Amino acid sequence: MTTARQHHTRTTPFRVVLTAAAIATTVAAVTTGCTKENKAAPPPNPTASPTPSADPQAAEKDALLGVYRAFWDASVKAYSTGSMKHTGMETVGADKAYSKVQATQIYYRDNGYVMTGAPTLSPQVSAMEAAAQPPKATITDCIDSTNYIQVEKQSGKPVETMDQNRRHVATYTALKIGGAWQIRDFDISRDQLC
């Protein structure tokens, strides 16, 4: 067996190219492998490897947020075309949520307005009651409408609105009916800014 001193002498030329961290690792490995006093290196830290999510509802929350984004996609289509047809709203929105989008879409259409662009969303599931019958959840979002503008349909001219702030807190409620989440109601706060 090569002694630690002999082994150290052979590795000396390589130390010039190694970084300080690599040198420390090499010296530790050489010392551990060649002396009887040192014990084997400890196993790697188990936290270094990726671990599954600690949230048991993570998959359910992801599914709900997917439905929430689809609800917004359908809303954007309704507000930009002046019609609820072919938006997909009926699969992701129901009850008061559907009615509110429809009422807004009718208002825009009757006044000759459309929405252009899209809002920036940053939703989070703030509450989930998976054991409830039916399961229910709350989504909280900060909706940024900086690039989501109301314009006159014919001219494309922006419509002036009273609200100049473009970031509002919104709360959405959802129910899981027949195995699928649906957005059932929402409230966009004009006073609570984000």
Side-chain angles (χ1 to χ4, degrees):
M1 177 176 164
T2 307
T3 67
R5 183 176 177 145
Q6 290 170 334
H7 194 92
H8 178 73
T9 304
R10 277 191 267 159
T11 59
T12 302
F14 295 107
R15 291 190 335 173
V16 175
V17 255
L18 296 176
T19 64
I23 292 170
T25 304
T26 303
V27 170
V30 168
T31 305
T32 301
C34 297
T35 63
K36 294 180 182 178
E37 299 84 43
N38 293 329
K39 296 180 181 174
N45 188 346
T47 59
S49 61
T51 57
S53 172
D55 184 354
Q57 295 179 324
E60 200 67 38
K61 288 178 179 179
D62 286 346
L64 173 57
L65 290 175
V67 168
Y68 172 76
R69 291 187 183 281
F71 176 84
W72 260 105
D73 289 345
S75 299
V76 167
K77 285 179 189 175
Y79 299 153
S80 65
T81 63
S83 172
M84 296 293 281
K85 292 180 181 178
H86 310 296
T87 62
M89 178 61 75
E90 64 281 352
T91 61
V92 293
D95 200 14
K96 292 178 183 177
Y98 186 98
S99 298
K100 288 178 180 180
V101 171
Q102 186 176 43
T104 303
Q105 169 262 310
I106 290 170
Y107 168 81
Y108 288 153
R109 183 192 66 202
D110 290 352
N111 287 280
Y113 303 145
V114 293
M115 295 297 291
T116 61
T120 301
L121 308 174
S122 51
Q124 293 184 340
V125 178
S126 49
M128 179 172 280
E129 297 176 45
Q133 291 300 322
K136 58 184 178 179
T138 303
I139 297 169
T140 305
D141 198 351
C142 176
I143 300 172
D144 183 348
S145 60
T146 302
N147 298 312
Y148 193 43
I149 308 296
Q150 183 179 335
V151 301
E152 294 177 357
K153 185 174 182 178
Q154 295 298 323
S155 68
K157 181 181 175 182
V159 176
E160 293 204 24
T161 60
M162 298 290 291
D163 187 4
Q164 296 304 309
N165 185 8
R166 308 299 290 176
R167 295 172 62 91
H168 295 280
V169 174
T171 305
Y172 290 75
T173 55
L175 294 177
K176 191 173 187 182
I177 308 291
W181 286 103
Q182 284 188 326
I183 306 301
R184 303 297 287 229
D185 197 6
F186 64 87
D187 179 61
I188 300 175
S189 172
R190 299 297 172 194
D191 300 322
Q192 193 175 0
L193 310 180
C194 54

